[in-house]
Amino acid sequence: GEQGALAGRHVLVTSGPTHEAIDPVRYIANRSSGKQGHALAAAAAAAGARVTLVSGPVAIPDPEGVETVHVESAREMLAAVEAALPADIAIFAAAVADWRVADATPEKMKKDGSGLPPLALIENPDILATVAHRQSARPALVVGFAAETQNVIAYAQAKLARKGCDLIVANDVGGTGVMGGDANTVHLVTRDGVENWPTLAKQEVATRLMAHIAGLVPVRTGV
Ligand code: C5P
């Protein structure tokens, strides 16, 4: 058959939200649907790659032809990502919770009249930054997403530098229902500049992004 642009490559994708436990029945989450990340994993598989998708809790099916690893929390996601390395390309599309509850309780919290629970938060690991800064088994191309409601390009440029990744796909999630919706308006931010894309279906963003990314990874020589 025809060889895809990513034949012989291992592509790792994170997708969806994370759930951070408060107690056994409650959690902190966000509005990520996983649609963009899952579409990227499917597009990478369609381009001939071996794909590992590490997904937080989502309501959409596992993409066909993709090895999908299901996780809940940011810490579980980091462990699954590290277990999936090495990869040629890593794309971090998950909306990872920035914070988790410091002392998630093993039993359900009760309204016992002793006041409101304090819910102290602590920082989660940054999965993208951890992988991008690895000394060994760093993927040749590390791609991050940046969902912003203002100063989209400036924040993305700062994020590119701080997180040590090669490309940031920035999108404006202010107002118009990008999170959970089917369309996305993205800006590709690298050290060399910014490429603005028109509003497209998330499927189309995924297909075009995988073609773009395939053109960025170093060409394999020899066998
Ligand atoms: O800092 P911010 O959350 O906006 O960065 C977004 C990018 O970083 C996304 O690619 C997201 O998947 C990744 N990220 C991560 N681990 C975190 C926070 C964000 O991988 N704890």
Side-chain angles (χ1 to χ4, degrees), residues 27-177:
Y27 56 82
I28 296 174
N30 62 66
R31 296 186 191 282
S32 171
S33 65
K35 282 180 186 171
Q36 188 64 81
H38 279 54
L40 281 162
R50 174 167 83 82
V51 184
T52 306
L53 172 63
V54 180
S55 176
V58 294
I60 57 176
D62 295 353
E64 264 175 58
V66 167
E67 188 190 332
T68 304
V69 181
H70 294 273
V71 299
E72 289 204 353
S73 68
R75 287 185 296 176
E76 287 169 12
M77 187 172 278
L78 175 60
V81 161
E82 289 185 324
L85 294 176
D88 299 289
I89 299 166
I91 304 171
F92 296 88
V96 182
D98 291 315
W99 309 284
R100 68 175 181 274
V101 176
D103 300 297
T105 57
E107 304 298 338
K108 185 184 170 192
M109 295 168 80
K110 305 299 287 179
K111 282 184 290 188
D112 60 3
S114 66
L116 299 170
L119 282 194
L121 302 177
I122 54 173
E123 209 164 306
N124 264 333
D126 190 312
I127 302 166
L128 165 58
T130 301
V131 171
H133 287 117
R134 278 178 69 100
Q135 300 297 307
S136 66
R138 184 199 190 270
L141 195 74
V142 177
V143 181
F145 274 71
E148 306 288 358
T149 57
Q150 58 178 343
N151 301 331
V152 175
I153 302 299
Y155 284 152
Q157 285 166 332
K159 208 162 281 186
L160 184 78
R162 189 173 72 247
K163 301 207 182 209
C165 55
D166 306 301
L167 167 66
I168 287 272
V169 182
N171 61 352
D172 193 332
V173 293
T176 51

